[in-house]
Amino acid sequence: MPLRLSLRTGATALIAIAALAASTAVADAGVLVASAPSCDGQALAKPFTPWLDVADYTALGGGNFEGDGAGWSTTGAAGIADGNESFHVGGAADDQSLALGAGSSATSPSICVGLEHPTIRFFAKRRSANVLSTLRVDALVELSGGAVLTVPIGVVANPGMWQPTLPIAVVANLLPLLPGDHTAVAFRFTPQGGDWSIDDVWVDPYGRKP
């Protein structure tokens, strides 16, 4: 049973972001821009080739959850746990993932992406017996002046086993706040109706090629 993904990005939110972007010329650096690593020299790989996805991705900082998940912040019953995603795309020796209990959330460190329709993809597993439980994915984007806006970008459903998600479009590319038509984004993962685990979070920073 394949993993299913539905994108529930509201048209109202998109229009609001576009309007804010249109009125923005030069941005004041806020927390996301200030903490984002350099846009240059991102290490690229093709971790999803076994799933017929040959796009280039860069690993999101701490997103393999080996060690202490540096740069990630959590609320509620969320934390590093034993047990890696079963495909070990990050390395055969990896043995940890991020467990997300009901009512918790996890927010990634910021990452620099371009404006050519970037995407995010990762591995997820529903641990709850509730088959209706889902995992919501939000993008945190920075507006001119440093205010951070949370934008829903996807909802993941899962049959209860490790699977790669489908590529999720990052609508934050409407807000160029860094030189060279780049912007800084972070991501928040929130289980809805049950417990989840995620692992090996990757971002295609330049957009999916035709």
Side-chain angles (χ1 to χ4, degrees):
M1 181 178 180
L3 184 77
R4 299 183 305 278
L5 171 74
S6 61
L7 299 181
R8 299 177 182 173
T9 306
T12 301
L14 288 174
I15 293 169
I17 296 172
L20 287 166
S23 65
T24 299
V26 179
D28 297 326
V31 61
L32 295 183
V33 169
S35 62
S38 172
C39 303
D40 299 324
Q42 290 173 323
L44 300 176
K46 300 181 186 293
F48 297 102
T49 300
W51 296 274
L52 305 180
D53 179 356
V54 297
D56 291 319
Y57 289 82
T58 188
L60 184 56
N64 62 0
F65 305 110
E66 301 302 310
D68 61 359
W72 287 71
S73 61
T74 60
T75 64
I80 303 298
D82 292 336
N84 200 76
E85 54 88 0
S86 56
F87 303 98
H88 291 272
V89 300
D94 287 359
D95 60 2
Q96 295 184 154
S97 57
L98 181 65
L100 295 167
S104 70
S105 68
T107 303
S108 77
S110 58
I111 184 171
C112 179
V113 298
L115 299 184
E116 302 84 3
H117 308 292
T119 58
I120 181 174
R121 197 171 190 185
F122 57 96
F123 291 82
K125 176 182 179 181
R126 175 180 54 81
R127 294 186 290 114
S128 172
N130 178 10
V131 297
L132 299 180
S133 174
T134 58
L135 180 70
R136 193 182 79 207
V137 185
D138 298 323
L140 278 60
V141 301
E142 191 169 305
L143 308 180
S144 176
V148 174
L149 179 68
T150 300
V151 182
I153 59 172
V155 176
V156 176
N158 182 277
M161 63 187 73
W162 282 114
Q163 294 283 353
T165 67
L166 296 174
I168 302 174
V170 181
V171 297
N173 58 358
L174 294 173
L175 292 170
L177 298 180
L178 296 171
D181 288 335
H182 291 86
T183 193
V185 299
F187 300 96
R188 180 170 293 146
F189 303 83
T190 306
Q192 301 178 117
D195 300 341
W196 282 71
S197 291
I198 65 172
D199 200 6
D200 289 329
V201 185
W202 295 78
V203 175
D204 176 0
Y206 308 116
R208 307 185 62 73
K209 286 67 175 177

